[in-house]
Amino acid sequence: MPLKFFISAFLFCSIFFTVSAQQKTWSNKVDSVLHLMTLEEKIGQLNQYTDDLTLTGPATVDNDKASQIKNGQVGSLLNSLGTTRVRSWQTMAMQSRLKIPLLFGQDVIHGYKTTFPIPLAEAASWDMDAIELSARIAATEASASGINWTFAPMVDIARDPRWGRVMEGAGEDTYLGSLIAKARVTGFQGKKLGGLDAVMACVKHFAAYGAAVGGRDYNSVDMSERQLWEVYLPPFKAALDAGAATFMNSFNDVNGIPATGNAYLQRTILKGKWNFTGFVVSDWGSIGEMVNHGYVKNDYEAALSAIRAGSDMDMESRSYKNNLAKLVKDNKIPVSLIDDAVKRILLKKFELGLFDDPFRFCNTTREQQALNNAAHVKAARAIAAKSIVLLKNENHLLPLSKSTKTIAFIGPLVKPLLQNKGFWDVTIPGVDSNFIVSQWKGLQNKVGASSTLLYAKGCDIEGDNKAGFAEAIAIAKQADVVILSIGEKRDMSGEAKSRSNINIPGVQEDLLKELLATGKPVVVLINAGRPLVFNYTADHAPAILYTWWLGSEAGNAIADVLFGDVNPSAKLPMTFPLSVGQVPIYYNHFNTGRPATNDNNHIYNSSYTDLSIFPKYAFGYGLSYTDFKYSDLKISKNKMTAKDQIDVAVTITNTGKYDGEEVVQLYLHNKVASVVRPIKELKDFQKIQIATGASKTIHFQINAQKLSFYNQQLAWVTEPGDFELMIGSSSADIRLKTEFELVK
Ligand code: GLC
């Protein structure tokens, strides 16, 4: 046996025993602390309050948080920012009898001081390394500023753009969403929890929050268990497998039981089948809100239901603080139920090193270095450019030439700063909110020295005031090209921001019409946190970039793409409807018994009599300044068993003028199975860089995992049968296809 085998075996064993020894040490330490705690102190660890600095939910005013912390009645704070403020709260915790340190949580959703594109925009990059880096930088900045826990990633699959929180997730696809969930957890937690630049991830919202009826936030969710397991749970499992330290439950009821009191979700699945050893925090007030749900009579019963169902920490409802001791006294719950929750929380505090040094995340020098870091800004600019989707580019109007003489930059989103941050930015008191490159500044930086730049607002985002049109038209007439930046407001998407009408608001498209009438070429930038409906723009503007909300470097990233320093490569992570009347609309739907395959026939098939069945833009759609040809699809065999795999090869050629990246997507269709299967499902993709004129042959592997699904008994199975394999540039642009058979 070669020596290297013995060396690697020794290394493996030593690492294994070290880790498990460490876990043993921590668990002994947790037990030793638990043994010292009174019941009131145990309940204190399950109690989380917001700092009143910034509120992210309905406020409950109580002014004795400081004394509660000094008495060991609080386990965590959220929304407390900056080493100074965090240090002050932690100092109070050190005055408690047992000196148990506080956890500090924050919604670091897409950056801390350096703001990255909103998560849905990052999802459009299909670039896992970039997405992981974004989370890594966010964690580095947040942890330097006192935070050791972020309430992210949000991994809720969403098929309804009326729901404002689509901006916070990874879109409609389970496969893409699962990869992104893993990338974000890995980014936030870094190599090892306990590192000074690591924060605990918090996978949310468990579960199926994105399936709220009508796209209305907090609304009910009702679905088959099969759909829950097949579509909505996998990203949570991917996040857990990536080592996520915590979970957050959701406001919604799932099949009639609020997630917070849902033992099937939190105990049977999460802590049971999935063996999750971290802890679950409720969403803001969601324990107490079970009274509103009509699931419990009062707060006492709410606390009973939640602790039994596996909600470990109570964010802001005070149900645990006010009722758990009485529930124990009334013999409604054993102390062991509370002990389990406390141990889960204490273990994380040990893993974070907070017992060794409660102030380890409060170093002002490190904070200053981390928050003003040129490398972070550079990374933000790069991923922002990767997130911009080129929707249209008639006659190759884009990229613009840097020697364009006169450019008119028009619209209500040209000059604002904060709008570019989107929802869930972190507003840090005293931190310069001008630390954002506006779209106007980005243009100036790019071509201000060589071109004449003209500006007009034109109109507001909302309202019917057209008084600004004349000025906009006048400067358009002077320009060689017009850039129009329109869209919704950044706070028109996000939490509690559901919209029944997802058109571009106000008179912005009327302004476009007037500008087009000047005969000048118009490039439209659409800023939004969700898929919008903009058919006039889509049908009449010669070039369109979907710029979402791109964060601190928005202006520079947009200019990089406008002038070709970056060739756009993003692909839509959600279907864009033709009309809100089509919603919910998503690509991986079932065929039905009377499939509608075109818009010409509405007789006895699953179509609308008054609207096309096709979306405006399909899942996975996005153009490039160059073109890609797909050829030579080969599979290693056309029959495989579940123990086998099929090797797939396809050649992509860059036939255009620019180097570029293409997201080559692989879809499968299981043609016949014991439960109906989607007409196609994304099962793999590769984002590849190809120089102009060059070709690349890329490879995929089809294995049993990619062919499996939940059958009627919720077993994860493969079934022999025929499969269609499709390779495409989007879910609706299938370039090559073939078939194979799965045999016994
Ligand atoms: C909010 C959100 C949740 C967030 C929490 C703390 O209501 O639903 O995503 O993490 O409260 O701000």
Side-chain angles (χ1 to χ4, degrees):
M1 193 77 76
L3 175 63
K4 68 180 176 180
F5 169 80
F6 288 106
I7 294 169
S8 51
F10 170 75
L11 280 174
F12 170 78
C13 293
S14 53
I15 291 167
F16 176 79
F17 287 114
T18 310
V19 170
S20 47
Q22 193 171 58
Q23 289 295 346
K24 189 114 186 65
T25 311
W26 278 330
S27 116
N28 291 340
K29 287 181 174 181
V30 164
D31 290 341
S32 61
V33 173
L34 187 78
H35 180 70
L36 299 172
M37 297 171 81
T38 64
L39 178 60
E40 191 186 31
E41 287 166 333
K42 291 178 181 178
I43 293 168
Q45 287 303 301
L46 314 189
N47 187 26
Q48 180 187 53
Y49 291 139
T50 183
D51 186 335
D52 301 321
L53 204 61
T54 47
L55 294 180
T56 50
T60 305
V61 181
D62 59 19
N63 304 317
D64 68 340
K65 285 173 189 168
S67 60
Q68 287 185 50
I69 290 171
K70 289 173 189 167
N71 293 329
Q73 294 170 293
V74 182
S76 168
L77 289 177
L78 70 143
N79 294 329
S80 194
L81 298 175
T83 52
T84 307
R85 192 164 182 96
V86 167
R87 179 177 287 277
S88 68
W89 289 117
Q90 197 70 293
T91 303
M92 291 176 210
M94 291 305 109
Q95 294 165 29
S96 65
R97 187 176 76 88
L98 293 175
K99 300 181 176 18
I100 298 175
L102 294 167
L103 287 172
F104 289 87
Q106 181 66 35
D107 294 286
V108 184
I109 308 295
H110 54 109
Y112 183 70
K113 181 186 175 190
T114 307
T115 306
F116 288 84
I118 56 171
L120 189 62
E122 285 191 346
S125 74
W126 294 51
D127 184 331
M128 297 308 128
D129 293 340
I131 290 169
E132 181 178 333
L133 178 60
S134 165
R136 185 86 292 278
I137 291 170
T140 303
E141 294 187 356
S143 59
S145 208
I147 306 298
N148 36 57
W149 183 20
T150 178
F151 303 127
M154 183 273 226
V155 302
D156 301 307
I157 293 296
R159 295 169 159 175
D160 190 329
R162 293 172 294 180
W163 189 49
R165 299 195 79 163
V166 295
M167 55 73 59
E168 200 177 335
E172 73 188 45
D173 185 73
T174 301
Y175 177 79
L176 179 62
S178 299
L179 289 178
I180 290 174
K182 176 184 174 195
R184 286 185 170 141
V185 168
T186 309
F188 286 128
Q189 298 193 164
K191 290 187 181 54
K192 177 171 168 296
L193 216 47
L196 266 179
D197 63 355
V199 296
M200 292 197 296
C202 182
V203 197
K204 68 186 188 183
H205 304 78
F206 199 59
Y209 182 28
V213 170
R216 289 207 335 263
D217 210 349
Y218 318 121
N219 207 358
S220 294
V221 167
D222 206 281
M223 65 175 68
S224 70
E225 271 190 76
R226 218 172 60 71
Q227 187 177 76
L228 179 68
W229 279 94
E230 183 146 289
V231 177
Y232 293 87
L233 289 181
F236 288 97
K237 183 64 169 56
L240 186 143
D241 291 345
T246 68
F247 269 56
M248 181 185 290
N249 57 39
S250 55
F251 292 115
N252 54 287
D253 58 86
V254 183
N255 299 335
I257 298 179
T260 306
N262 198 312
Y264 174 61
L265 289 176
Q266 296 177 135
R267 292 219 183 270
T268 309
I269 298 175
L270 182 60
K271 295 178 177 178
K273 189 174 174 70
W274 291 354
N275 190 29
F276 175 60
T277 56
F279 70 86
V280 177
V281 63
S282 71
D283 202 342
W284 185 297
S286 63
I287 294 177
E289 287 175 4
M290 286 198 280
V291 176
N292 302 340
H293 277 283
Y295 186 64
V296 292
K297 257 197 327 225
N298 51 42
D299 215 29
Y300 177 84
E301 286 190 9
L304 175 61
S305 166
I307 195 76
R308 278 180 172 165
S311 283
D312 297 303
M313 185 181 278
D314 171 4
M315 181 192 287
E316 269 292 321
S317 91
R318 294 154 175 78
S319 305
Y320 281 3
K321 172 180 170 289
N322 297 337
N323 295 285
L324 283 184
K326 187 167 179 350
L327 284 164
V328 171
K329 185 164 165 289
D330 298 348
N331 287 320
K332 295 281 188 186
I333 55 169
V335 178
S336 58
L337 216 48
I338 294 175
D339 288 352
D340 174 64
V342 176
K343 287 167 74 171
R344 288 169 180 269
I345 293 163
L346 292 179
L347 177 59
K348 292 305 165 200
K349 294 185 175 182
F350 273 109
E351 286 180 15
L352 286 168
L354 288 170
F355 274 99
D356 298 332
D357 174 6
F359 301 100
R360 65 193 304 256
F361 294 94
C362 298
N363 177 318
T364 47
T365 309
R366 200 157 62 83
E367 183 177 41
Q368 274 138 27
Q369 285 162 356
L371 296 194
N372 296 291
N373 181 314
H376 295 177
V377 174
K378 187 163 174 265
R381 178 169 179 166
I383 191 167
K386 285 172 185 268
S387 304
I388 295 172
V389 186
L390 177 61
L391 294 178
K392 190 176 179 184
N393 192 20
E394 251 167 19
N395 309 320
H396 296 288
L397 172 58
L398 291 173
L400 301 177
S401 160
K402 288 176 183 170
S403 54
T404 302
K405 203 165 159 305
T406 305
I407 299 169
F409 203 173
I410 296 168
L413 286 160
V414 173
K415 291 207 169 177
L417 284 172
L418 283 174
Q419 287 296 331
N420 294 293
K421 293 178 85 178
F423 200 85
W424 287 121
D425 65 309
V426 177
T427 307
I428 311 163
V431 173
D432 173 7
S433 70
N434 289 318
F435 172 68
I436 303 165
V437 179
S438 72
Q439 298 179 23
W440 175 251
K441 183 70 181 131
L443 186 67
Q444 285 183 312
N445 292 342
K446 185 65 75 176
V447 293
S450 53
S451 303
T452 300
L453 305 182
L454 306 173
Y455 164 74
K457 185 177 178 184
C459 65
D460 291 324
I461 291 172
E462 293 177 288
D464 55 7
N465 183 347
K466 298 187 178 184
F469 280 26
E471 180 196 15
I473 292 161
I475 69 163
K477 287 178 175 169
Q478 299 168 48
D480 299 301
V481 67
V482 175
I483 306 167
L484 175 67
S485 185
I486 55 177
E488 58 178 11
K489 282 181 179 167
R490 71 171 180 141
D491 65 359
M492 291 173 110
S493 63
E495 183 177 353
K497 305 294 181 188
S498 297
R499 291 179 66 204
S500 65
N501 170 347
I502 54 174
N503 294 329
I504 290 185
V507 294
Q508 300 176 86
E509 288 196 285
D510 297 339
L511 174 59
L512 169 63
K513 197 175 210 170
E514 299 293 331
L515 295 174
L516 290 170
T518 66
K520 299 291 181 177
V522 181
V523 178
V524 180
L525 311 179
I526 299 180
N527 308 268
R530 54 154 51 91
L532 291 178
V533 170
F534 46 94
N535 294 319
Y536 180 81
T537 302
D539 298 341
H540 296 88
I544 305 168
L545 292 170
Y546 215 75
T547 52
W548 311 99
W549 297 116
L550 295 169
S552 302
E553 281 292 292
N556 285 332
I558 290 169
D560 287 343
V561 170
L562 279 171
F563 291 90
D565 289 333
V566 173
N567 182 356
S569 60
K571 301 278 185 177
L572 297 177
M574 267 187 93
T575 300
F576 275 49
L578 179 71
S579 154
V580 74
Q582 292 179 321
V583 171
I585 182 169
Y586 46 93
Y587 85 94
N588 47 353
H589 60 79
F590 297 144
N591 203 32
T592 78
R594 295 191 178 184
T597 52
N598 62 60
D599 282 334
N600 308 320
N601 164 24
H602 303 299
I603 311 299
Y604 296 127
N605 64 33
S606 172
S607 66
Y608 299 105
T609 56
D610 60 351
L611 183 66
S612 166
I613 53 161
F614 298 104
K616 193 67 184 176
Y617 298 107
F619 170 80
Y621 172 81
L623 301 175
S624 168
Y625 292 152
T626 195
D627 298 299
F628 296 101
K629 180 166 77 69
Y630 288 52
S631 62
D632 303 325
L633 171 60
K634 293 191 178 73
I635 56 175
S636 57
K637 50 190 169 190
N638 55 21
K639 286 186 193 306
M640 68 174 273
T641 68
K643 292 189 174 51
D644 255 344
Q645 73 173 36
I646 288 181
D647 296 321
V648 182
V650 61
T651 300
I652 314 295
T653 304
N654 181 339
T655 56
K657 286 179 10 188
Y658 298 91
D659 297 351
E661 289 183 286
E662 172 68 330
V663 179
V664 181
Q665 300 155 47
L666 184 150
Y667 295 91
L668 291 181
H669 173 213
N670 185 345
K671 294 171 84 170
V672 178
S674 60
V675 287
V676 293
R677 307 299 308 132
I679 60 162
K680 61 172 70 93
E681 294 174 273
L682 180 72
K683 289 295 182 183
D684 208 333
F685 65 86
Q686 286 184 36
K687 183 163 192 175
I688 52 173
Q689 170 76 31
I690 309 183
T692 171
S695 293
K696 264 188 190 168
T697 297
I698 58 175
H699 300 270
F700 299 98
Q701 280 73 42
I702 305 295
N703 55 25
Q705 170 68 20
K706 292 190 189 311
L707 309 182
S708 301
F709 60 95
Y710 288 99
N711 69 7
Q712 210 167 359
Q713 291 70 40
L714 283 185
W716 180 246
V717 300
T718 55
E719 293 175 359
D722 296 328
F723 288 80
E724 253 187 317
L725 184 152
M726 295 159 270
I727 302 284
S729 184
S730 89
S731 60
D733 180 6
I734 298 301
R735 302 289 181 84
L736 300 166
K737 61 167 97 173
T738 184
E739 298 207 356
F740 64 88
E741 185 185 358
L742 175 64
V743 296
K744 273 199 186 334

